[in-house]
């Protein structure tokens, strides 16, 4: 049930590059057929390419740049991204999931409900959930309450893989943060 994001960026870069090249070729062809001034002269381009040898620095540089950009786009397209939807425990032959954003908001809501916790921030990692916040009370006791509240919310949500929970609180002094 874990759903990963689509890799839109590499597809858009390739599509826009090909679109730009196609428009440039079409405009140049139409200008050549109508006899008007060409943006990119076919004759000058053909002459320049014909005069350039394969061992030219420009050919080597352009080839290296294109190979690097192509490799980078391929790596970005193949590597998996952060899951968009996390699987929940299956039940009664039913698969369900929760969006990362919804899980983060639910855990932040549980953390914010703990007495003494201010500005709770939830970060979801692959194998860990980190909850940070500020308190005016004793940090150790409030951190225990925070961990209990968030663990109880996780038990209610029941993700298929329960990440490790880590809490950290900073004590706020009377005049502000310390």
């Amino acid at each position: 049930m874990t759903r990963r994001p689509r890799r839109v960026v590499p597809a858009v870069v390739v599509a826009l590059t090909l679109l730009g090249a196609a428009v440039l070729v079409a405009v140049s062809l139409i200008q050549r057929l109508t006899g008007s001034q060409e943006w990119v002269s076919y004759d000058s381009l053909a002459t320049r390419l014909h005069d350039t040898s394969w061992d030219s620095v420009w050919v080597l540089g352009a080839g290296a740049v294109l190979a690097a950009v192509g490799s980078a786009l391929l790596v970005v397209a193949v590597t998996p991204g952060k899951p968009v939807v996390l699987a929940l425990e299956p039940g009664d032959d039913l698969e369900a999931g929760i969006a990362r954003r919804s899980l983060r908001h639910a855990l932040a809501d549980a953390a914010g409900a703990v007495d003494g916790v201010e500005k709770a921030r939830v970060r979801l990692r692959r194998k860990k959930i980190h909850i940070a916040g500020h308190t005016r009370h004793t940090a150790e006791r409030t951190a225990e309450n925070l961990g209990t509240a968030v663990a109880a919310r996780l038990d209610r949500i029941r993700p298929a893989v329960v990440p490790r929970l880590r809490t950290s609180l900073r004590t706020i002094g009377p005049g502000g943060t310390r």
Side-chain angles (χ1 to χ4, degrees), residues 7-160:
R7 293 304 191 162
V8 176
V9 174
V12 168
V13 167
V14 170
L16 288 177
T17 302
L18 291 176
L19 177 68
V23 166
L24 186 64
V25 167
V27 167
S28 179
L29 180 63
I30 291 170
Q31 288 174 339
R32 184 173 178 87
L33 289 174
T34 59
S36 61
Q37 179 70 26
E38 298 177 34
W39 284 352
V40 179
S41 171
Y42 173 78
D43 293 330
S44 66
L45 185 63
T47 303
R48 181 165 219 165
L49 288 176
H50 187 294
D51 292 342
T52 305
S53 65
W54 284 106
D55 59 352
S56 170
V57 174
W58 294 104
V59 173
L60 227 57
V65 166
L66 288 175
V69 169
S71 298
L73 287 172
L74 188 63
V75 166
V76 168
V78 171
T79 56
K82 289 182 181 179
V84 176
V85 175
L86 302 172
L88 297 177
E89 282 186 3
D92 299 333
D93 296 329
L94 182 69
E95 289 186 14
I98 185 170
R100 288 176 59 87
R101 184 177 185 175
S102 297
L103 179 61
R104 191 173 59 241
H105 286 300
L107 297 179
D109 182 50
V114 174
D115 185 38
V117 175
E118 299 176 15
K119 297 181 184 178
R121 180 178 172 201
V122 177
R123 284 185 287 185
L124 297 177
R125 301 283 183 239
R126 183 170 292 179
K127 297 181 181 181
K128 180 172 47 172
I129 297 173
H130 181 237
I131 301 175
H134 296 110
T135 183
R136 295 188 187 279
H137 301 298
T138 306
E140 294 80 21
R141 181 73 176 143
T142 308
E144 289 175 16
N145 295 341
L146 179 63
T148 304
V150 172
R153 183 65 60 98
L154 275 173
D155 287 342
R156 283 182 42 206
I157 295 172
R158 299 177 59 174

